[in-house]
Amino acid sequence: MSDQHLRTRMPGEPALAPAADQALPGRGPRTAAALRAAAPALAVYAAVRALGLLVLWTAAGASGKDPVARLSGRWDSVWYQRIAENGYGHTATLPDGALHSDLAFFPLLPALERGISEVTPLTLGGAGLLVAWTAGLFAAWGIFAVGAQLHGRRTGVVLAGLWGVYPTAFVQSMAYTETLFTALAAWALYAVLKGRWLVAGALCVLAGLTRPSAAALIAALAITAAVTLVREFRAESRPGPLLRRNARMLAGVALAPLGWLAYVVFVAVREGSPFAYFEVQAQWGNNIDGGRALAAFIAGLPLPAALGLCAALGLLGWLVVLCVRQRQPLPVLVYAVAIVVVSLIGAGYFGSRPRLMMPAFPLLLPPAVALAGLGRGRAALDGARAKAPGPTPGEEQAAVTVAGADRGAPLPPDAPGRPTAPTRSARPAVLTAPATLVLAVLACASAAFGAWTLLGAGPP
């Protein structure tokens, strides 16, 4: 494993990519500067999600349905609000006799809903939407920060936009936990990339109180730390100084699973069984079966639908391969792959799996890099033409002489062909025209699909 592949900041090392450095939220002037840098990404994300809401409101009005109820009063949203209002203890009995306990839902979102509804006029459903929409912006900011850290600001903007037009991105506008978890995961990964392990561990604690998929984030930190220790031990073979030098990293890794473990222990104590949490998940059909349920689902489909689903899974596998070939940093890669694996090997309802994979935003890095490069050469050429006037006929020969001169020699201020300073008007656009067009088309498709799904009968 190479240092480049790890690409995390270790104690004593300089920060990576200072030009793309983003302050973690809550750090004063640096946060304000980072927010200004992320403003284009937040604007793109907000625009595509606003389009989704506009299409939903229009379609709901035409069909006589309540759009707010579709976002905050159905499916998992109802379970979270019931927990926020009454605490844990509700169990639903299905017609087939199966039991669904509310202990399958983690406590952070209900706690936030309850707290906000206590201090504001918002209902529990309104509080859930406020949390989801605010967390969506923080998630877009964190996704931008990771993308900009690895591949530059333009890629960060495109990455945030692509996450906002994900096929099931309509869930980002619902009172669900996807945006909250993704925000915590993105900033935790960014903290690891910057070597801020205690911050990453604290964010993992909160993620572990949000969704069970926090196990993927915990694994990303643990595997990265283990590889780092092995690499450094092989280099010096002195465990004492090695452990002292990486004390913060070890503390962050030890902190990371505490939120997830705390909730699992809470369920175990409440139900009187050490495996109670896993039994509750099995009652919901969310136990791990190694992919047998997925295989059976595909086998039961008509041939055209089965082939289409296999093609979609093949595309997913290809994205994972591209992430590996892109040499993504180890914590980012492990997190994305773990989210995908956990989503595919469970026995739960198949229609929820694309939603469960939505937090795996690093899968969008390869297309984001490609999309950010579309039309970039033409944009740079147009910017160069705008910045400098063309040479006069008498200057052309002098320009040839300057081009062939020693690059280290200073040019006099009035030398013909001397580059002119960039002007504000010549600053290149954050997104190229082709990238903007692609995101616009995807946003329209995502908005239409979201409205169709939310106004339908099936759960996402």
Side-chain angles (χ1 to χ4, degrees):
M1 185 67 61
S2 67
D3 293 348
Q4 181 184 9
H5 189 62
L6 283 171
R7 252 185 283 179
T8 57
R9 184 184 173 195
M10 293 298 108
E13 293 182 359
L16 298 175
D21 191 19
Q22 300 286 312
L24 291 167
R27 299 191 66 180
R30 289 188 62 195
T31 300
L35 182 57
R36 287 193 297 270
L42 297 179
V44 170
Y45 175 78
V48 299
R49 296 310 321 135
L51 177 63
L53 291 175
L54 176 62
V55 172
L56 172 63
W57 247 257
T58 303
S63 59
K65 297 179 180 178
D66 182 4
V68 176
R70 301 285 159 160
L71 295 174
S72 64
R74 300 177 74 191
W75 306 312
D76 291 4
S77 300
V78 177
W79 287 88
Y80 286 119
Q81 290 166 38
R82 187 184 291 116
I83 295 168
E85 184 174 10
N86 303 315
Y88 286 100
H90 177 77
T91 299
T93 303
L94 303 187
D96 62 358
L99 300 178
H100 284 183
S101 169
D102 59 5
L103 290 170
F105 297 90
F106 279 58
L108 184 56
L109 177 59
L112 293 174
E113 289 177 337
R114 178 65 178 265
I116 291 173
S117 67
E118 290 285 345
V119 299
T120 69
L122 293 174
T123 64
L124 290 172
L129 290 179
L130 177 62
V131 171
W133 293 2
T134 303
L137 290 172
F138 274 94
W141 187 2
I143 290 169
F144 163 80
V146 173
Q149 175 74 13
L150 299 180
H151 296 284
R153 185 165 175 254
R154 190 189 303 269
T155 297
V157 173
V158 175
L159 184 62
L162 286 177
W163 189 69
V165 299
Y166 184 84
T168 57
F170 60 87
V171 178
Q172 297 171 20
S173 299
M174 299 177 67
Y176 271 40
T177 58
E178 270 70 17
T179 54
L180 181 59
F181 174 76
T182 304
L184 295 168
W187 283 110
L189 291 174
Y190 180 76
V192 172
L193 292 176
K194 304 301 292 181
R196 300 167 187 167
W197 285 89
L198 290 177
V199 174
L203 291 170
C204 277
V205 171
L206 295 176
L209 294 171
T210 306
R211 290 183 62 83
S213 49
L217 188 60
I218 296 166
L221 267 66
I223 291 174
T224 301
V227 171
T228 299
L229 291 175
V230 170
R231 180 194 63 182
E232 294 189 11
F233 178 76
R234 288 177 176 176
E236 63 182 50
S237 300
R238 297 173 61 193
L242 174 65
L243 296 178
R244 286 193 296 270
R245 186 171 62 250
N246 291 287
R248 287 179 177 268
M249 180 180 73
L250 295 173
V253 172
L255 183 64
L258 295 185
W260 186 87
L261 288 174
Y263 184 68
V264 171
V265 170
F266 164 77
V267 176
V269 172
R270 182 185 179 93
E271 298 299 298
S273 168
F275 303 106
Y277 169 75
F278 303 100
E279 294 166 358
V280 167
Q281 290 291 352
Q283 291 172 350
W284 277 82
N286 292 331
N287 55 302
I288 301 299
D289 70 350
R292 290 193 301 273
L294 175 60
F297 178 81
I298 296 175
L301 292 175
L303 183 59
L307 292 177
L309 182 53
C310 289
L313 293 174
L315 176 62
L316 177 62
W318 181 58
L319 280 176
V320 172
V321 171
L322 288 180
C323 291
V324 174
R325 294 179 60 184
Q326 196 179 44
R327 300 187 65 79
Q328 291 184 5
L330 187 60
V332 176
L333 183 62
V334 170
Y335 165 75
V337 173
I339 289 286
V340 171
V341 170
V342 170
S343 302
L344 292 180
I345 65 175
Y349 173 63
F350 178 81
S352 297
R353 299 186 191 222
R355 171 174 66 87
L356 298 178
M357 284 188 278
M358 187 164 55
F361 68 89
L363 293 178
L364 301 174
L365 261 173
V369 171
L371 190 56
L374 281 180
R376 198 167 185 175
R378 178 59 182 269
L381 180 60
D382 291 344
R385 287 173 177 172
K387 285 190 289 184
T392 63
E395 292 176 331
E396 292 180 353
Q397 182 60 41
V400 173
T401 303
V402 170
D406 182 3
R407 294 182 182 272
L411 296 177
D414 58 347
R418 180 183 177 88
T420 57
T423 61
R424 282 187 175 271
S425 60
R427 185 176 181 179
V430 175
L431 290 180
T432 62
T436 302
L437 177 60
V438 171
L439 284 176
V441 171
L442 292 175
C444 292
S446 177
F449 178 71
W452 176 77
T453 303
L454 287 171
L455 297 176

